[in-house]
Amino acid sequence: MNPTIRYITSQLEGSYSPSEAIELAFAVVEETTGLTRTAILCCKDTQNIPNIEIILQRLLKKEPIEYIFGHKQWRGLDLRVTPDTLIPRPETAELLDLIAHLSLTHARVLDIGTGSGCIAIALKQAHPDWEVTGIDISEEALAVARFNAAQNKVEVNWEHVDILTDEIDHYDLIVSNPPYIPMREKTTMESNVVDYEPARALFVSDDDPLLFYRTIAKMRKSTHLFFEIHEKYGQEVKQLLDELEYIDTHIIADQYGKNRFIYGRTQA
Ligand code: GLN
């Protein structure tokens, strides 16, 4: 095996599973050398990786590799991520396919709690005729989203909005992946998430875990509504939409078979 991969894997073994350690080792070498996995495996000399000990120290403290290198590849986009933004998840990308199935044209679309801007940017890239807006309560996240739109050469409107207090316009479609993890679950979560990702993007009060869903749905500011949800709250969020007289409501599972999305609409 490549000696650098062997070295990094051996250093990480105590803190990560064998498969995670080897994945991280390849990711570190790919990122720092620009070499492909095949090149690393077959022959290239990958000794003298700059800052390797610092990178290892950070990984041993469970800092996500995406924050160490400052970016994440997601749906063909290269996205800056910082501790002010969640790291885009694979399941969140499935929202894009669900939305594409609606076959909307010239739609006005709003992404609430846009974070790195991943959903808004991917939607605009896939549907250039749409007018897409991304909003967030965090100015720091919006700065990252703006950078990502420019870097990926798409035009999205970015606005600083607190959805719990501010008014919004009407849109053809609203999508949101709001904070949805009850605080009490924090103790059961991995430290790479809890210690590094932004708490205000993840957690809601145990007393009112559906706060963002209810606030957004009650506004009735869109024809189509898509939410990412906590796998345990599918029925509750669906019921909420049904009570608010949304039609065609349904729960959709993600690639891991977990209830992860909800759809509803306000008009036939
Ligand atoms: N799915 C994310 C996680 O598991 C949470 C995203 C969110 O709270 N909106 O960490």
Side-chain angles (χ1 to χ4, degrees):
M1 198 202 271
N2 175 303
T4 314
I5 296 291
R6 194 166 51 222
Y7 171 68
I8 299 174
T9 309
S10 71
Q11 295 297 301
L12 296 178
E13 253 166 17
S15 306
Y16 292 91
S17 72
S19 61
E20 285 170 336
I22 200 149
E23 264 313 304
L24 286 169
F26 274 106
V28 168
V29 178
E30 283 169 357
E31 177 78 34
T32 51
T33 63
L35 294 170
T36 63
R37 196 163 286 220
T38 323
I40 297 163
L41 273 172
C42 88
C43 38
K44 293 281 196 257
D45 179 7
T46 55
Q47 280 168 21
N48 303 324
I49 296 211
N51 301 325
I52 185 64
E53 293 307 323
I54 295 170
I55 294 167
L56 281 172
Q57 286 314 313
R58 292 174 72 173
L59 287 172
L60 287 170
K61 289 190 194 144
K62 291 291 170 92
E63 182 170 351
I65 191 163
E66 292 87 349
Y67 290 153
I68 297 176
F69 293 122
H71 66 130
K72 163 89 181 164
Q73 298 288 337
W74 186 84
R75 280 288 282 226
L77 299 167
D78 185 44
L79 298 169
R80 173 178 286 180
V81 288
T82 74
D84 292 308
T85 67
L86 286 186
I87 299 162
R89 308 289 201 262
E91 59 272 27
T92 301
E94 296 176 47
L95 266 173
L96 305 167
D97 301 320
L98 298 173
I99 292 170
H101 276 121
L102 296 174
S103 302
L104 302 177
T105 51
H106 299 287
R108 288 186 73 237
V109 175
L110 178 69
D111 174 24
I112 301 178
T114 195
S116 66
C118 59
I119 297 173
I121 292 166
L123 286 176
K124 179 65 185 181
Q125 193 187 51
H127 310 275
D129 58 310
W130 291 5
E131 188 194 321
V132 180
T133 302
I135 62 176
D136 207 285
I137 192 175
S138 162
E139 292 275 18
E140 292 80 7
L142 285 170
V144 174
R146 255 189 212 103
F147 175 93
N148 283 330
Q151 171 158 284
N152 289 284
K153 300 190 172 50
V154 297
E155 277 192 31
V156 172
N157 310 313
W158 304 109
E159 288 171 26
H160 181 234
V161 174
D162 178 354
I163 198 63
L164 297 179
T165 55
D166 297 340
E167 290 282 312
I168 56 168
D169 289 347
H170 191 277
Y171 292 84
D172 298 305
L173 181 143
I174 288 179
V175 56
S176 184
N177 174 18
Y180 58 64
I181 304 174
M183 279 303 284
R184 64 170 172 272
E185 288 187 17
K186 196 171 171 179
T187 51
T188 65
M189 291 167 64
E190 300 286 344
S191 56
N192 61 333
V193 177
V194 175
D195 295 346
Y196 292 95
E197 297 204 72
R200 72 169 161 175
L202 289 170
F203 297 109
V204 279
S205 128
D206 293 335
D207 303 333
D208 193 7
L210 305 190
L211 173 66
F212 289 95
Y213 302 108
R214 194 174 56 252
T215 305
I216 294 166
K218 264 188 161 174
M219 291 176 171
R220 295 184 78 80
K221 289 289 193 178
S222 67
T223 309
H224 302 275
L225 181 59
F226 267 109
F227 284 129
E228 182 173 319
I229 56 163
H230 190 301
E231 65 200 75
K232 289 187 198 151
Y233 291 123
Q235 286 306 334
E236 281 90 337
V237 182
K238 182 177 184 305
Q239 193 182 338
L240 176 79
L241 295 191
D242 290 337
E243 280 165 13
L244 292 167
E245 294 178 1
Y246 280 74
I247 55 177
D248 218 5
T249 57
H250 49 278
I251 304 170
I252 303 151
D254 65 17
Q255 58 192 305
Y256 311 109
K258 294 184 170 166
N259 286 340
R260 185 62 66 204
F261 312 105
I262 293 267
Y263 170 77
R265 62 194 166 94
T266 54
Q267 290 166 32

